[in-house]
Amino acid sequence: MKPRLLYILAPSYSGSTLLTFLLSKHPDIATVGELKADKDGYDTDYRCSCGELLLECEFWANVAGQAEQELGTFSLQKFGTAFHSESGLNRRVLGATVRSAGLEVLRSAALALHPGVRRERDAILERNFALSRIITSVQGGSVFLDGSKDAIRLQHFLDSDLWDVSVIFQTRDGRGVINSNMKHREISFVTAAEDWRRNIEELQRVRERLPDTMVFDLKYESLCRRPGEALRNIYKWLGVSVDLDDVAQIAKDDKHILGNAMRLKALDEIRLDESWREQLSEAAQSQFAKDFAKTNLSLGYLSV
Ligand SMILES: [Zn+2]
C-alpha cells in the first residue's frame, strides 16, 4: 500500500500556516509544514517553529541523520526538495507553472525525451519521499501533510504515483490575498490582483483534473468562523479519528514547522483577518468588483 500524502493547495496568504498548525495536532498527521523548504537554502540564523535554530533543533538533527543515511547526502541548509533546477531546460520543465492540458503533454514529452531532466526530477521526488517517510516515522501517524501550496509540486507528486494523495484546496476572498501581498511584497493593487488571478487559474487547472473525492474545498473564512466544524469535516473526509479533545486548539510547542514568518508568531487564537475591508482603498475595491469579481466568484465569493 502506498503511503498517504495530504497536500495543501492554496495561494499564499490564505491561512495555510494556521491550517497546518491545527492539523498537526492530530495524532494521525505528521508534518513539518512546507516540505519544499527554501530552494535557495537556509541561513544559519533560520529558526524552526519550536524556537530553536534549525541547525540546533533536536528533531531536525534526528531527521537529517536518517536522511543522510538513506540518501547519501543531506543538508539542513539546503533540503533539495523543491522542484527547481540550476540548468535552463530542466528549470523550465520542472519548475514551470501548470498550464493547459496541451502544454502539460509537452512537459511530459520533454521529461520522456530528456533523461537528464527526468533524472533530476526523480532525484527530487526521491528526496521528498524519503523525508516524508522519515518524518512520519519520527512523529508517528499514518498521513504525511505537505503544506507547500504550489500547483506544480502537487502535479509532480501526482505524476510520480508514489503516494496515495489527498488535497485540501484552501481559498480566501481575493481581496484578502491581494491586500496581504500588497503589504508583504510592497506591490501595487493591480500587480497583486493580476498575480492573484494568474495564481488562481493555475491552481484551478490542477483542481479540475482531480476526482472530487480526492479534494476537500476549504474556505479560510469558514475555518476561522467555525474551526471545530471545519476540522471535524476534514478528519471525516480523510478517514482519521474525529473524536478529539479541543479539536480546534493550536498546540505549537512541540512542532517543527518550516515556511513563512507566521510559523514564529504567537498563534494562540484563531482570528479571522478581514483587515482588507479597511485597508484596501475604495478605488481598489471598485476596480476589484469590476475586473476581478468573476475569478472571486469562481471560488464562491461575492465581491460586494
Ligand atoms: Zn524544531
Side-chain angles (χ1 to χ4, degrees):
M1 222 166 59
K2 288 183 281 187
R4 297 191 70 187
L5 176 84
L6 174 61
Y7 192 85
I8 302 178
L9 180 71
S12 291
Y13 306 115
S14 299
S16 66
T17 307
L18 170 67
L19 177 64
T20 298
F21 274 105
L22 289 167
L23 294 174
S24 72
K25 205 179 157 254
H26 197 291
D28 273 342
I29 297 178
T31 189
V32 294
E34 300 185 12
L35 185 64
K36 69 180 175 184
D38 186 331
K39 70 174 162 52
D40 299 319
Y42 291 115
D43 291 330
T44 49
D45 61 355
Y46 184 88
R47 283 195 186 275
C48 176
S49 72
C50 70
E52 292 287 344
L53 292 171
L54 181 62
L55 298 178
E56 289 172 8
C57 167
E58 258 179 61
F59 165 82
W60 280 112
N62 180 7
V63 169
Q66 293 191 46
E68 200 174 349
Q69 232 171 19
E70 203 165 310
L71 296 163
T73 55
F74 179 79
S75 160
L76 283 176
Q77 283 185 275
K78 200 154 185 180
F79 278 50
T81 44
F83 289 92
H84 169 80
S85 173
E86 307 296 336
S87 97
L89 169 72
N90 292 18
R91 188 163 61 238
R92 281 198 299 283
V93 178
L94 293 179
T97 57
V98 177
R99 294 148 302 196
S100 63
L103 283 161
E104 283 304 313
V105 173
L106 290 181
R107 183 211 302 279
S108 308
L111 283 171
L113 284 171
H114 295 276
V117 185
R118 206 173 54 227
R119 258 199 309 276
E120 194 164 3
R121 192 244 349 231
D122 290 348
I124 298 169
L125 277 168
E126 189 194 358
R127 299 178 81 78
N128 280 285
F129 191 71
L131 277 167
S132 70
R133 302 294 287 154
I134 292 165
I135 291 160
T136 307
S137 78
V138 172
Q139 293 187 346
S142 57
V143 181
F144 180 78
L145 165 67
D146 181 4
S148 292
K149 306 189 297 281
D150 44 301
I152 184 66
R153 183 173 174 79
L154 173 60
Q155 193 62 53
H156 283 304
F157 284 171
L158 291 166
D159 290 348
S160 79
D161 212 21
L162 286 168
W163 289 272
D164 174 7
V165 180
S166 305
V167 179
I168 296 178
F169 184 35
Q170 187 175 14
T171 54
R172 179 186 181 189
D173 190 305
R175 291 164 292 190
V177 175
I178 290 165
N179 187 47
S180 292
N181 270 294
M182 286 169 69
K183 282 193 287 189
H184 290 280
R185 292 164 56 206
E186 296 180 1
I187 52 176
S188 71
F189 167 77
V190 173
T191 306
E194 280 168 359
D195 280 1
W196 168 75
R197 178 159 57 197
R198 260 195 303 276
N199 187 212
I200 293 298
E201 285 167 357
E202 187 193 3
L203 298 174
Q204 284 175 333
R205 273 197 285 276
V206 177
R207 165 71 184 84
E208 279 159 16
R209 289 185 215 159
L210 306 174
D212 277 342
T213 49
M214 195 193 268
V215 189
F216 189 98
D217 292 297
L218 175 70
K219 286 196 168 65
Y220 159 74
E221 292 81 358
S222 314
L223 175 67
C224 291
R225 288 199 182 104
R226 290 176 299 279
E229 185 187 319
L231 290 165
R232 279 193 196 90
N233 286 336
I234 290 171
Y235 295 147
K236 213 178 289 171
W237 159 79
L238 204 55
V240 297
S241 165
V242 181
D243 190 22
L244 288 185
D245 297 334
D246 301 326
V247 66
Q249 196 195 54
I250 303 168
K252 268 200 77 175
D253 304 349
D254 57 342
K255 300 301 168 197
H256 307 277
I257 306 282
L258 308 169
N260 73 27
M262 269 288 283
R263 77 188 187 282
L264 299 174
K265 286 193 186 143
L267 269 171
D268 40 17
E269 56 162 3
I270 301 169
R271 195 180 53 82
L272 175 62
D273 177 359
E274 286 198 313
S275 54
W276 62 267
R277 291 185 188 276
E278 292 82 46
Q279 291 173 1
L280 273 188
S281 71
E282 241 171 75
Q285 294 204 32
S286 53
Q287 192 177 350
F288 185 88
K290 187 162 112 349
D291 298 333
F292 300 94
K294 203 175 137 200
T295 305
N296 219 22
L297 187 63
S298 72
L299 301 173
Y301 293 97
L302 290 173
S303 306
V304 287

